[in-house]
Amino acid sequence: METFQFTEHAHRRYNPLTGDWILVSPHRTKRPWQGKVENPPITKRPSYDPTCYLCPGNERAGGLKNPDYTNVYVFTNDFSALVPDVPAGEYIHGDLLRAESERGLCKVVCFSPRHDLTIPEMDVNAIKNVVDVWTTQYEELGALDYISYVQIFENKGDIMGCSNPHPHGQIWAQACVPHEPSKESEKQRLYLEKHQATLLGDYLELEVKLQERIVTSNRHFVALVPFWAFWPFEAMIISRQSKQHLLQLNDDERNAFADIYKQLTIMYDNLFNVSFPYSAGIHQAPTDGHDHPEWHLHMHFYPPLLRSATIKKFMVGYEMLANPQRDITAEQAAQRLRDVAQTHYKSNS
Ligand code: H2U
Ligand code: ZN
């Protein structure tokens, strides 16, 4: 029998950040690449849409009116999933039925007053303003005594359930550390204890040496397809230095964060010549009052597209019931992203 090669044979890959595994079936991609780059008509949205609830000056669904904002604009979500004034309480029946009240708050962040832009189409300076607002929101929300975690995220594209094309993201802050960052907290803590270095610092050093999964980089950040990626073109932005949270980034570093966010999303859009949908979000230290030297700031991108602007990966069948699985390897995905043009497809036309 031939010897095992992970470029050829079915295997499982370990995610050291969460402790989860994924199944990789590289032999299924032996068939030639049949991804088609469609050329969907470039749809132009107006820079202002009178019916958009996020545009400056418009009335929102909740009845409140947006100011005539000219930069980034943050407001409390009119339909917040988490609210501050929930009474403390729990519901417990033995070991089987268990519930706890949860406090928190939700915000919406309009990235730009312009209805027609997306992150890859915005100037780095304008994206830097978004990063700056994320930073102050993390500080302000994290300072509230009942907030232990601030989740900053962006849902992009209607395929991801995004309700409006106006460029925006959300922030949910809450009293407990939610599941995903909580798993990452634990794994990073154990790693730091064992190696006296951050898990992602060591991981990044390895990736920079191997040069197999790196997509793009700048002075302060690297964007790569993680070894354990599940979504076909999943990526992570990782800071070169171990930073626990946004507040530890200086002006130059926040600018570099904006730059790599733009670079990566341009590559995404150019892959299938479509405004690339994804859910993305920042993972950083909890704001639970403890120091978190184990935490290494990063941003995850989970895009669902697989082969074209319309063919997406479904998480069904075996994956729902047994284990996440992928065909195209992380290395192949990184290569495809590296191969696209660096200029946005819309500005090329
Ligand atoms: P998406 O990021 O999934 O599109 O969600 C947008 C959020 O905006 C959603 O959580 C909020 C919704 O509750 N929203 C308002 O707060 N006010 C509005 O007028 C409409 C949408
Ligand atoms: Zn709008």
Side-chain angles (χ1 to χ4, degrees):
M1 195 146 156
E2 4 158 33
T3 47
F4 165 66
Q5 281 180 293
F6 76 67
T7 49
E8 300 282 328
H9 305 116
H11 61 277
R12 299 162 75 226
R13 289 193 192 190
Y14 178 65
N15 180 341
L17 263 181
T18 59
D20 300 332
W21 290 80
I22 62 139
L23 180 64
V24 186
S25 314
H27 53 287
R28 292 175 73 179
T29 52
K30 284 261 180 64
R31 59 186 187 271
W33 167 245
Q34 291 180 326
K36 54 180 166 137
V37 173
E38 291 165 10
N39 281 312
I42 294 176
T43 44
K44 270 218 74 60
R45 291 201 301 275
S47 60
Y48 167 76
D49 176 351
T51 66
C52 168
Y53 54 71
L54 298 181
C55 273
N58 290 0
E59 191 178 309
R60 296 205 301 270
L64 296 173
K65 193 172 177 252
N66 295 322
D68 283 318
Y69 66 94
T70 54
N71 199 324
V72 182
Y73 171 57
V74 187
F75 61 90
T76 298
N77 197 312
D78 298 307
F79 309 96
S80 296
L82 292 156
V83 291
D85 49 359
V86 173
E90 53 183 22
Y91 174 94
I92 294 178
H93 278 274
D95 287 338
L96 297 177
L97 305 184
R98 192 170 154 189
E100 296 166 4
S101 69
E102 181 70 352
R103 298 173 74 194
L105 43 95
C106 300
K107 300 224 179 173
V108 178
V109 184
C110 297
F111 293 163
S112 161
R114 288 267 305 266
H115 185 79
D116 56 334
L117 296 181
T118 58
I119 291 288
E121 298 163 295
M122 284 166 61
D123 291 340
V124 172
N125 285 342
I127 305 173
K128 157 86 165 37
N129 291 334
V130 176
V131 177
D132 288 349
V133 166
W134 283 343
T135 307
T136 49
Q137 286 293 316
Y138 175 81
E139 183 171 31
E140 283 172 24
L141 296 171
L144 298 172
D145 59 357
Y146 66 95
I147 295 296
S148 292
Y149 194 76
V150 179
Q151 182 58 59
I152 295 168
F153 65 98
E154 179 191 5
N155 267 340
K156 184 174 168 233
D158 36 7
I159 208 172
M160 296 309 293
C162 177
S163 55
N164 186 317
H166 194 110
H168 69 283
Q170 296 192 50
I171 303 176
W172 291 23
Q174 68 189 95
C176 76
V177 183
H179 193 54
E180 293 300 319
S182 167
K183 285 191 288 188
E184 293 191 2
S185 233
E186 178 65 2
K187 291 292 177 194
Q188 291 179 101
R189 190 180 62 76
L190 293 171
Y191 191 93
L192 182 72
E193 259 174 39
K194 188 169 170 196
H195 301 273
Q196 288 78 51
T198 66
L199 189 158
L200 285 180
D202 280 1
Y203 173 62
L204 194 55
E205 199 181 306
L206 201 55
E207 288 291 18
V208 167
K209 205 180 293 164
L210 296 171
Q211 290 289 323
E212 286 171 351
R213 284 166 291 271
I214 294 194
V215 173
T216 184
S217 64
N218 63 25
R219 234 150 52 82
H220 298 296
F221 292 90
V222 175
L224 51 79
V225 178
F227 182 73
W228 52 84
F230 160 59
W231 294 99
F233 294 95
E234 181 174 332
M236 278 173 89
I237 290 175
I238 306 175
S239 61
R240 288 190 189 268
Q241 282 189 1
S242 293
K243 305 278 181 178
Q244 295 164 25
H245 48 68
L246 286 171
L247 289 167
Q248 290 180 349
L249 300 183
N250 63 29
D251 208 60
D252 188 35
E253 290 162 338
R254 291 198 303 278
N255 202 58
F257 193 4
D259 170 69
I260 200 146
Y261 188 14
K262 181 179 169 84
Q263 279 192 51
L264 175 63
T265 52
I266 285 179
M267 292 164 124
Y268 272 160
D269 279 10
N270 286 348
L271 193 61
F272 301 130
N273 284 356
V274 67
S275 185
F276 206 69
Y278 56 73
S279 277
I282 297 175
H283 277 158
Q284 54 186 329
T287 56
D288 54 2
H290 298 286
D291 189 25
H292 287 283
E294 76 279 15
W295 260 93
H296 191 130
L297 171 84
H298 58 278
M299 185 165 181
H300 291 282
F301 288 79
Y302 300 134
L305 293 186
L306 176 63
R307 285 180 186 281
S308 71
T310 47
I311 301 180
K312 80 181 266 269
K313 175 178 178 64
F314 287 96
M315 188 158 170
V316 293
Y318 175 84
E319 306 191 307
M320 265 190 160
L321 290 151
N323 206 117
Q325 184 269 346
R326 65 183 288 135
D327 293 349
I328 163 184
T329 63
E331 298 71 43
Q332 292 169 324
Q335 184 65 52
R336 295 228 170 91
L337 286 168
R338 280 196 300 269
D339 286 348
V340 300
Q342 307 293 303
T343 321
H344 195 274
Y345 73 96
K346 279 191 189 170
S347 23
N348 272 340
S349 56

